[in-house]
Amino acid sequence: NSDRADTAIAFVYRGTFVHSTQQTALEILEDALLGVDAQGKIAFIREGKELEKLSQTFGFKTSDITQLAQHEFFMPGLVDTHIHASQYSYAGTALDMPLLQWLNAYTFPVESCFKNLEFARKVYTQIVRRTLRNGTTTACYFATIHTEASLLLGQIANDFGQRALVGKVCMDRNDCVKHYKETLQDSQDETCRFIKELLEKKYPLVKPVVTPRFAPSCTGALLEQLGEIAKNNNLHIQSHISETHEEVKLVKELFPESESYTDVYRKHNLLTDKTVMAHGCHLSDEELALFRETGASLSHCPNSNFSLCSGVLDVRNVLKHKVKLGLGTDVAGGYSASMLDAVRRALDASKVLTIQDPQYKTLSFEEVFRIATLGGSQALSLDDQTGNFDVGKDFDALRINVAAEGGPIDLIQDEEPKILLEKFLNLGDDRNIVEVFVAGRRVVPITE
Ligand code: GUN
Ligand code: FE
């Protein structure tokens, strides 16, 4: 925890900070001072009593300090490791079918509409605003197969100041909605164009991610090409894996030469330490070992898993295998775009497992808090930049007022910070999130 005294301090907050570290799921720092430098990085986080020494070292004035109120605290921004920006228009509906039918009946027809850039602009603006407002400082997005609309999503995330991974979806196999797919050649060429054009924009916080939709939507040839593209450009990779039993069975039929679903991706060089796979509800221990070996991570999307009746991920077992794990909303399979909902559904999913087997050790709210913040940043290989309040990381943070006027929480008495965090995670909403910072820039309240 060494300070960085080499840059000018932009602002300083004094009050309670809560975050996760590798060692502890919840570290609480009361009456702390956190300074952010002109680059948006955390310059110091120290005890309040060190004020005098710090202000001399860093050359800031007491008037640069903002004091948090009694019921306020800062926590790291929430990391949504899996969300379909293109599915936001029907979030909260269409939850009456299992995955494969749901894709054909609702998802593919809607995603086809993103050929129309004005429709894309409308939906993408709303999802970025909504997620930021709800404290998602980093989002890992699926767009659609359309390059122009996918580039537009990158631009919108950049304009609003959200940290984002953006994927143009790749699929050269679709037997049901026949117009919503690409040829092998187009998928390859357009992926390369998407990556090139997005990188040329030099958005500081937005990166492209290679995005095969999932094995059933792709031929082996496409998977192989995408593995190559990711490797040659050192890019992130995202997809879906082992979400439902029916899907696992289909993959077995489509890729008979592979030993498992995980083996399909591994064979095509799509399992790397920059890969994040959504769901994984039905992975075997052998497959989890492959994740661990390759450094690939999982995104736990409990709302979606309940809503589409897909399965219940055994998070304890994933953690036991030391596989990196983040949380995802998976809009619109998950009906809520808020990561607070994902936190609650993750706790519910763990309780379901305890109901089935009372010996099962339910996840604590502190553990889920870590998965939603530091865990997510690790799952996206962004933990050198974000995820907690370590000195040198970007200041991605939520200023929480648990007793916000007109908000959902009534505080009967003063509470300790741990209780304030627990109340916020279980009962809070965007009314409690009074400020959101990404890389030191205040992005909420949103100013037009
Ligand atoms: N598997 C392949 N595509 C999708 C999708 O859009 N949503 C979910 N939940 N699973 C998928
Ligand atoms: Fe998904």
Side-chain angles (χ1 to χ4, degrees):
N1 190 18
S2 58
D3 305 327
R4 305 168 74 249
D6 47 344
T7 50
I9 297 302
F11 57 87
V12 177
Y13 274 99
R14 182 170 189 164
T16 300
F17 292 79
V18 304
H19 73 160
S20 305
T21 66
Q22 204 61 258
Q23 290 74 38
T24 48
L26 177 57
E27 181 173 77
I28 297 170
L29 304 158
E30 286 186 79
D31 188 33
L33 284 159
L34 183 144
V36 177
D37 70 20
Q39 281 73 51
K41 293 185 190 305
I42 298 166
F44 59 82
I45 179 163
R46 292 298 192 97
E47 288 180 37
K49 64 177 187 227
E50 296 180 73
L51 172 59
E52 206 156 316
K53 198 178 75 201
L54 280 169
S55 71
Q56 279 164 15
T57 311
F58 289 93
F60 62 87
K61 305 181 291 292
T62 36
S63 59
D64 295 337
I65 304 173
T66 304
Q67 173 75 49
L68 296 186
Q70 179 70 26
H71 307 115
E72 290 189 323
F73 63 85
F74 266 107
M75 62 173 272
L78 295 159
V79 180
D80 190 340
T81 56
H82 184 79
I83 174 166
H84 298 260
S86 52
Q87 297 173 13
Y88 186 48
S89 63
Y90 65 100
T93 70
L95 300 168
D96 57 343
M97 285 177 194
L99 174 68
L100 300 179
Q101 282 172 262
W102 174 86
L103 286 171
N104 292 324
Y106 304 114
T107 304
F108 296 148
V110 170
E111 287 192 17
S112 305
C113 300
F114 286 72
K115 199 170 171 343
N116 177 337
L117 273 183
E118 281 324 297
F119 179 68
R121 181 183 303 280
K122 208 161 145 181
V123 178
Y124 288 163
T125 300
Q126 284 176 348
I127 187 69
V128 171
R129 290 181 67 110
R130 176 66 61 189
T131 53
L132 261 187
R133 186 76 198 81
N134 281 280
T136 301
T137 50
T138 301
C140 186
Y141 286 117
F142 273 60
T144 61
I145 65 172
H146 312 95
T147 304
E148 291 308 322
S150 303
L151 288 166
L152 182 60
L153 174 56
Q155 185 198 318
I156 291 168
N158 176 70
D159 288 350
F160 281 97
Q162 190 173 49
R163 191 184 300 276
L165 296 175
V166 177
K168 182 209 96 66
V169 173
C170 295
M171 45 195 294
D172 68 341
R173 179 146 61 181
N174 191 344
D175 298 331
C176 283
V177 182
K178 291 201 163 46
H179 62 275
Y180 190 58
K181 71 172 163 194
E182 313 155 285
T183 63
L184 168 62
Q185 189 68 45
D186 279 349
S187 192
Q188 217 176 292
D189 293 349
E190 287 300 296
T191 295
C192 292
R193 181 166 81 87
F194 170 72
I195 293 163
K196 182 168 167 288
E197 294 192 15
L198 190 64
L199 291 175
E200 278 170 3
K201 301 284 187 191
K202 298 203 184 305
Y203 300 137
L205 302 174
V206 178
K207 291 181 166 70
V209 42
V210 172
T211 307
R213 175 166 218 118
F214 69 155
S217 297
C218 302
T219 59
L222 178 57
L223 292 177
E224 191 172 321
Q225 287 298 332
L226 295 176
E228 276 290 297
I229 291 170
K231 190 172 170 190
N232 295 337
N233 301 280
N234 186 28
L235 293 176
H236 284 83
I237 298 166
Q238 63 177 346
S239 192
H240 299 86
I241 195 164
S242 217
E243 181 175 358
T244 74
H245 287 300
E246 203 187 357
E247 170 206 6
V248 174
K249 185 163 158 278
L250 178 59
V251 170
K252 224 174 240 159
E253 288 162 19
L254 294 172
F255 298 89
E257 72 288 356
S258 287
E259 276 162 37
S260 65
Y261 199 157
T262 303
D263 187 46
V264 173
Y265 290 132
R266 191 196 56 80
K267 269 203 172 73
H268 297 99
N269 297 316
L270 290 165
L271 277 197
T272 74
D273 60 0
K274 292 175 86 172
T275 296
V276 58
M277 289 284 169
H279 308 296
C281 302
H282 308 291
L283 292 173
S284 66
D285 286 353
E286 290 73 27
E287 289 179 283
L288 286 172
L290 272 179
F291 270 77
R292 161 75 179 172
E293 268 169 46
T294 55
S297 62
L298 282 173
S299 171
H300 177 31
C301 303
N303 187 317
S304 173
N305 295 158
F306 286 131
S307 293
L308 301 181
C309 299
S310 302
V312 184
L313 178 68
D314 183 344
V315 169
R316 220 17 105 209
N317 195 41
V318 173
L319 296 179
K320 196 177 95 189
H321 283 81
K322 298 203 170 351
V323 173
K324 294 184 288 180
L325 180 73
L327 269 189
T329 58
D330 194 26
V331 164
Y335 57 76
S336 172
S338 169
M339 280 293 293
L340 283 172
D341 171 86
V343 165
R344 293 162 199 168
R345 296 293 84 80
L347 287 163
D348 289 349
S350 194
K351 285 172 183 175
V352 166
L353 296 175
T354 304
I355 291 168
Q356 291 173 347
D357 170 13
Q359 301 296 312
Y360 187 86
K361 191 162 173 275
T362 318
L363 292 175
S364 65
F365 83 86
E366 293 96 330
E367 287 176 293
V368 176
F369 170 72
R370 173 157 61 186
I371 296 168
T373 54
L374 184 61
S377 71
Q378 291 169 333
L380 300 179
S381 296
L382 295 173
D383 51 313
D384 55 335
Q385 292 160 57
T386 186
N388 64 10
F389 295 134
D390 283 354
V391 169
K393 286 194 185 182
D394 287 0
F395 185 61
D396 287 9
L398 314 182
R399 179 177 176 178
I400 307 300
N401 179 0
V402 180
E405 186 73 25
I409 303 173
D410 294 311
L411 283 183
I412 311 303
Q413 61 206 16
D414 285 350
E415 301 284 3
E416 55 177 293
K418 186 175 153 177
I419 299 287
L420 292 179
L421 175 65
E422 189 176 12
K423 286 229 177 217
F424 169 66
L425 293 177
N426 281 315
L427 299 172
D429 64 26
D430 58 351
R431 288 168 290 184
N432 301 106
I433 304 176
V434 294
E435 288 181 312
V436 177
F437 292 86
V438 179
R441 174 180 163 202
R442 195 172 84 151
V443 295
V444 171
I446 294 169
T447 49
E448 287 311 307

